[in-house]
Every structure is written in structure tokens, then in C-alpha cells.
Amino acid sequence: MEVIVSVEVSVTDVDSLRRFEATVAALDEVVEVRRVFGVPDYFLRVSVADADAYAVFQMTKLVTIPGVSRVISHLTMEVVKSEI
């Protein structure tokens, strides 16, 4: 199951942002990290077995990262096109 996750962070200094990026990129479930202009600050593509596995990932890994202020999850209904 794939989940697109928007993440807002409450830090703005470069060192904290780099630490956040390194931490999230090291998570096995995260297959893509994009820093974007505007709000949210990041989009993540997360791959997990099912909704229960995503709930565990979000509650035990993602929201525990320092600086994370908001997480919005978008569960994929169907991949219509992918060039990856």
C-alpha cells in the first residue's frame, strides 16, 4: 500500500531541516522525499503492507521526529500512471 504524506515542520534553521531530511530519508518505509515550495514543507511517498502498518509507522516513527508539526496522509486508491 502506498501513502502520500504531506509534512509541515516547525523549524526553519538549515541544520534542523537537514537533520529532519536525513532522519526521514533513513526510514525504510519512505521511498521518496520531496521538499517543496510553500505549504506543506515536504511530500513523502511511503510504502507499507496495509493501513494498520501505516498507522504504526506514523505514530511510532514519523510524528516522533523533532520538528514535525503536522502530518496529513493520503492513502492511494489506485495508481493511474507511474513512470517509476
Side-chain angles (χ1 to χ4, degrees):
M1 172 177 167
E2 190 168 274
V3 183
I4 304 300
V5 184
S6 63
V7 179
E8 294 178 29
V9 295
S10 60
V11 296
T12 56
D13 64 282
V14 173
D15 289 338
S16 295
L17 290 174
R18 295 294 183 221
R19 276 193 300 276
F20 167 79
E21 291 173 358
T23 301
V24 79
L27 298 172
D28 291 336
E29 297 88 345
V30 175
V31 296
E32 184 174 13
V33 179
R34 292 178 182 236
R35 184 170 7 115
V36 297
F37 292 102
V39 178
D41 300 299
Y42 294 90
F43 282 112
L44 312 179
R45 193 162 52 100
V46 177
S47 181
V48 290
D50 53 32
D52 289 336
Y54 177 73
V56 169
F57 165 79
Q58 181 182 348
M59 295 304 292
T60 64
K61 295 183 180 180
L62 187 56
V63 300
T64 65
I65 299 171
V68 171
S69 63
R70 185 171 188 190
V71 173
I72 299 175
S73 308
H74 307 275
L75 281 67
T76 300
M77 181 187 307
E78 176 183 4
V79 177
V80 177
K81 179 181 178 179
S82 177
E83 296 183 12
I84 298 175

